Amino acid sequence: MDIAINSLQEHDAEELYQFEKNNRLFFEQMVPSRGEDYYKFETFQLKHRELLAEQQEEKSKFYLIRDNSGNIVGRINLVDIDTTNNIAEVGYRVGKEYGGKGIGATALKLLLETEISVQKIKAKTTTNNIASQKVLEKSGFKQICISDDMFEMNGQILQFIHYPWKNDSNH
């Protein structure tokens, strides 16, 4: 599937809210819940504006992953951007009906091509999120460790797997 990543905008709020609501149960199988308040539109709008402010300050970069028809199929973000050390952390999520189509890996590739100033990117995923582990490894991220900290989510005892990526290309 051909996709594009587009910077998050103010006018994306309602469509993104619907995407998050529609995929809530699916996402919460793999990542901790964002809490009940997040799914109230008023709260969502406040959070959306906070993200836009963070993006404006260049602390983070938020992207929507869209298909050829312009529908949101996922999101991918660079957060905790440290411009002094050119390092950031990546996070992404792909909607339930779009999984298994290579969208996560393609979006990550597009992000790495777009954000060429970032030299190191950190990622983490839960031990049960095999799809995300495959996306990271396919994209050149190397597993370095599994955290000692364990936590329970949906009745499973999980840990985080940490993956760094380093830009080895010469720009």
Side-chain angles (χ1 to χ4, degrees):
M1 175 184 286
D2 285 340
I3 59 157
I5 60 173
N6 308 108
S7 290
L8 185 65
Q9 305 292 321
E10 177 75 38
H11 63 79
D12 295 320
E14 200 165 318
E15 186 184 3
L16 183 56
Y17 174 69
Q18 287 304 320
F19 171 80
E20 288 291 336
K21 259 183 41 176
N22 293 343
N23 287 283
R24 177 182 182 177
L25 295 177
F26 174 67
F27 292 149
E28 288 178 358
Q29 292 172 20
M30 295 296 163
V31 295
S33 174
R34 292 180 167 183
E36 205 56 48
D37 275 359
Y38 182 80
Y39 297 96
K40 295 176 183 161
F41 189 61
E42 298 75 27
T43 305
F44 184 88
Q45 281 184 302
L46 290 172
K47 297 281 186 202
H48 187 73
R49 287 191 193 108
E50 288 171 8
L51 295 182
L52 292 171
E54 207 174 296
Q55 184 167 263
Q56 186 71 31
E57 295 167 13
E58 298 186 358
K59 293 178 181 174
S60 298
K61 303 246 180 124
F62 302 101
Y63 294 94
L64 298 178
I65 307 168
R66 293 185 180 272
D67 66 12
N68 285 343
S69 302
N71 300 310
I72 297 174
V73 298
R75 25 188 341 183
I76 189 163
N77 311 312
L78 274 182
V79 298
D80 298 331
I81 297 173
D82 175 349
T83 53
T84 305
N85 298 303
N86 293 325
I87 192 167
E89 188 165 328
V90 69
Y92 50 87
R93 51 180 53 198
V94 174
K96 181 178 183 174
E97 64 187 280
Y98 303 103
K101 298 179 180 172
I103 291 171
T106 303
L108 190 51
K109 180 179 185 285
L110 290 171
L111 180 80
L112 297 175
E113 291 170 357
T114 302
E115 298 295 339
I116 57 173
S117 64
V118 179
Q119 296 300 304
K120 294 178 188 165
I121 298 176
K122 298 183 286 184
K124 68 182 178 187
T125 188
T126 51
T127 44
N128 68 330
N129 195 340
I130 306 302
S132 189
Q133 293 167 36
K134 287 179 180 176
V135 165
L136 291 168
E137 289 166 10
K138 182 178 179 179
S139 302
F141 285 73
K142 306 286 185 224
Q143 178 181 330
I144 55 164
C145 70
I146 298 176
S147 66
D148 291 334
D149 297 331
M150 295 182 182
F151 60 97
E152 184 177 341
M153 188 175 73
N154 301 325
Q156 290 184 304
I157 302 299
L158 301 174
Q159 294 166 280
F160 281 112
I161 304 174
H162 296 268
Y163 290 85
W165 174 86
K166 189 173 188 318
N167 186 350
D168 292 326
S169 62
N170 297 317
H171 292 287

